[in-house]
């Protein structure tokens, strides 16, 4: 028995030693696994994409928006700013479309009407007349024109304006509006003349009729070529040519006394992070520019409410967000 006992004890010692080694190795592997798991969590990437439901469907880009958890404070702050917003994609082709696009010899119109068009004959009120039954105008511009002419009548007692042309204006010999502008192809411009003594005569911006040029900004229209802005517009004073840009922008242009060219430069300084904020007619607005990044430009808009976009014909887009 003594011989057998002496053989058994060494084996038990080896078994206990092996067990201790196994426990140490298991503990080490578990600790290593936990450390690796923590590193993986720190490097976890949450990605996704956003698309506005209010805008027409545009395929989402291949590039994803990504937020790295545990990343720098700047990255986290940037991601937090996009909470409650949708991502929209602005195709490069639309840089020449919209209410604020600039069109002249250097910036020709590349596409025609971009909004819903209506016949003024079927929509006009009794406070102005038409030179042709075929005159067409963009829907919002038509509604604004009706209100402008109604209030002109209330202020002056007159209803002597004639819409001489919109998308197509007679500019031949004897015309009351002897020039055709490429921007008229947008469907958001109005060329005016006057009825006097049974005839149609040119509108020179004087007398009681000057109420229109002085107040059109309240209705979303601008005098496209204002007096004293020849250096920026490259065109002489033209009181008979109005362009609809929407109330937010017409109010700003009036307040800052800017031509369209000057205004586009002015707005280019404001970004989504630092927008231009202002109020007009009890409505709060934010306006900012987004620089084009090529074929598809990413921008962010509120997930609730409305917004509008317009190209500036050169370097990017202008986004307008009303709230109120």
């Amino acid at each position: 028995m003594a011989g057998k006992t002496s053989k058994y004890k060494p084996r038990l010692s080896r078994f206990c030693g092996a067990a201790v080694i196994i426990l140490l190795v298991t503990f080490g592997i578990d600790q290593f696994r936990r450390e690796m798991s923590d590193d993986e969590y720190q490097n976890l990437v949450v990605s996704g994409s956003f698309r506005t439901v209010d805008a027409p469907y545009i395929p989402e880009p291949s590039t994803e928006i990504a937020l790295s958890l545990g990343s720098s404070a700047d990255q986290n702050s940037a991601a937090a700013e996009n909470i409650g917003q949708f991502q929209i994609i602005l195709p490069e082709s639309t840089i020449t479309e919209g209410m604020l696009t600039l069109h002249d010899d250097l910036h020709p119109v590349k596409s025609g009407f971009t909004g819903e068009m209506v016949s003024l004959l079927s929509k006009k009120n009794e406070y102005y007349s038409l030179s042709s039954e075929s005159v067409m105008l963009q829907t919002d511009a038509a509604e604004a024109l009706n209100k402008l002419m109604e209030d002109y009548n209330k202020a002056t007692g007159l209803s002597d304006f004639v819409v001489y042309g919109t998308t197509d204006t007679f500019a031949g010999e004897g015309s009351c509006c002897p020039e055709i502008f490429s921007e008229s192809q947008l469907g958001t411009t109005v060329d005016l003349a006057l009825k006097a003594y049974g005839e149609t005569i040119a509108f020179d911006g004087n007398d009681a009729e000057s109420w229109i040029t002085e107040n059109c900004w309240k209705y979303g229209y601008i005098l496209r070529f204002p007096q004293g802005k020849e250096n920026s517009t490259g065109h002489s004073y033209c009181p008979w040519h109005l362009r609809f840009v929407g109330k937010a922008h017409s109010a700003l242009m009036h307040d800052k006394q800017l031509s369209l060219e000057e205004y586009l430069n002015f707005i280019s300084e404001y970004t989504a992070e630092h927008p231009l904020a202002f109020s007009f007619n009890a409505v709060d607005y934010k306006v900012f520019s987004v620089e084009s990044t090529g074929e598809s430009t990413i921008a962010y808009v509120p997930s609730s409410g409305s917004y509008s976009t317009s190209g500036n014909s050169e370097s990017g887009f202008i986004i307008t967000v009303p709230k109120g």
Side-chain angles (χ1 to χ4, degrees), residues 175-310:
S175 172
C176 295
C177 303
E179 190 170 354
I180 297 175
F181 300 100
S182 61
E183 65 178 17
S184 295
Q185 296 177 54
L186 301 173
T188 55
T189 66
V190 176
D191 295 332
L192 297 174
L194 293 171
K195 280 286 186 184
Y197 310 108
E199 296 183 49
T200 302
I201 62 174
F203 171 47
D204 60 9
N206 296 321
D207 304 321
E209 289 80 10
S210 64
W211 188 96
I212 288 290
T213 59
E214 294 167 0
N215 292 276
C216 65
W217 64 271
K218 299 175 184 177
Y219 305 83
Y221 278 93
I222 61 170
L223 194 60
R224 180 61 184 88
F225 303 109
Q227 198 163 22
K229 294 294 183 179
E230 291 80 3
N231 287 339
S232 67
T233 64
H235 197 284
S236 59
Y237 174 51
C238 186
W240 48 267
H241 183 69
L242 307 183
R243 176 168 168 179
F244 183 75
V245 296
K247 289 181 180 180
H249 301 288
S250 63
L252 274 174
M253 288 187 214
H254 173 77
D255 182 69
K256 303 295 183 182
Q257 293 297 294
L258 300 174
S259 65
L260 178 60
E261 286 81 358
E262 293 170 328
Y263 181 69
L264 293 177
N265 288 331
F266 171 71
I267 291 297
S268 68
E269 300 299 320
Y270 293 89
T271 64
E273 294 76 21
H274 301 285
L276 174 62
F278 65 100
S279 296
F280 178 64
N281 284 354
V283 178
D284 295 328
Y285 293 92
K286 287 185 178 179
V287 179
F288 57 90
S289 293
V290 177
E291 187 174 354
S292 174
T293 56
E295 185 176 349
S296 296
T297 298
I298 295 175
Y300 292 94
V301 296
S303 57
S304 61
S306 60
Y307 66 91
S308 62
T309 65
S310 174

Side-chain angles (χ1 to χ4, degrees), residues 13-301:
S13 299
R14 287 197 298 271
F15 175 80
C16 291
V20 170
I21 293 172
I22 290 171
L23 287 174
L24 290 174
V25 170
T26 302
F27 177 80
I29 292 174
D30 182 69
Q31 184 66 24
F32 179 77
R33 181 185 63 79
R34 290 174 181 272
E35 291 176 357
M36 289 299 293
S37 177
D38 289 342
D39 289 341
E40 288 173 359
Y41 177 79
Q42 292 299 323
N43 291 310
L44 177 65
V45 175
V46 178
S47 63
S49 60
F50 306 88
R51 177 167 51 83
T52 175
V53 296
D54 295 325
Y57 174 76
I58 300 172
E60 295 176 356
S62 57
T63 303
E64 293 183 327
I65 303 168
L67 165 62
S68 297
L69 300 180
S71 59
S72 69
D74 288 342
Q75 287 176 310
N76 285 330
S77 298
E81 289 176 358
N82 294 329
I83 294 175
Q85 295 184 318
F86 280 129
Q87 172 184 290
I88 60 173
I89 308 302
L90 302 169
E92 186 176 21
S93 60
T94 61
I95 204 169
T96 58
E97 298 176 1
M99 292 291 186
L100 296 170
T101 47
L102 179 65
H103 296 292
D104 52 28
D105 292 342
L106 297 178
H107 307 89
V109 176
K110 294 183 179 180
S111 60
F113 314 133
T114 56
E116 181 183 354
M117 301 290 289
V118 296
S119 166
L120 272 186
L121 182 64
S122 64
K123 296 294 183 180
K124 69 175 291 297
N125 56 30
E126 68 270 29
Y127 302 110
Y128 63 100
S129 56
L130 305 175
S131 64
S132 168
E133 294 183 354
S134 62
V135 175
M136 303 288 289
L137 196 60
Q138 194 264 353
T139 302
D140 292 340
E143 292 177 358
L145 179 64
N146 280 348
K147 183 59 177 172
L148 171 64
M149 291 301 178
E150 180 181 358
D151 288 352
Y152 165 68
N153 173 264
K154 291 178 180 178
T156 65
L158 299 172
S159 300
D160 52 349
F161 272 101
V162 179
V163 174
Y164 199 74
T166 54
T167 59
D168 186 19
T169 298
F170 171 66
E173 185 177 353
S175 172
C176 295
C177 303
E179 190 170 354
I180 297 175
F181 300 100
S182 61
E183 65 178 17
S184 295
Q185 296 177 54
L186 301 173
T188 55
T189 66
V190 176
D191 295 332
L192 297 174
L194 293 171
K195 280 286 186 184
Y197 310 108
E199 296 183 49
T200 302
I201 62 174
F203 171 47
D204 60 9
N206 296 321
D207 304 321
E209 289 80 10
S210 64
W211 188 96
I212 288 290
T213 59
E214 294 167 0
N215 292 276
C216 65
W217 64 271
K218 299 175 184 177
Y219 305 83
Y221 278 93
I222 61 170
L223 194 60
R224 180 61 184 88
F225 303 109
Q227 198 163 22
K229 294 294 183 179
E230 291 80 3
N231 287 339
S232 67
T233 64
H235 197 284
S236 59
Y237 174 51
C238 186
W240 48 267
H241 183 69
L242 307 183
R243 176 168 168 179
F244 183 75
V245 296
K247 289 181 180 180
H249 301 288
S250 63
L252 274 174
M253 288 187 214
H254 173 77
D255 182 69
K256 303 295 183 182
Q257 293 297 294
L258 300 174
S259 65
L260 178 60
E261 286 81 358
E262 293 170 328
Y263 181 69
L264 293 177
N265 288 331
F266 171 71
I267 291 297
S268 68
E269 300 299 320
Y270 293 89
T271 64
E273 294 76 21
H274 301 285
L276 174 62
F278 65 100
S279 296
F280 178 64
N281 284 354
V283 178
D284 295 328
Y285 293 92
K286 287 185 178 179
V287 179
F288 57 90
S289 293
V290 177
E291 187 174 354
S292 174
T293 56
E295 185 176 349
S296 296
T297 298
I298 295 175
Y300 292 94
V301 296

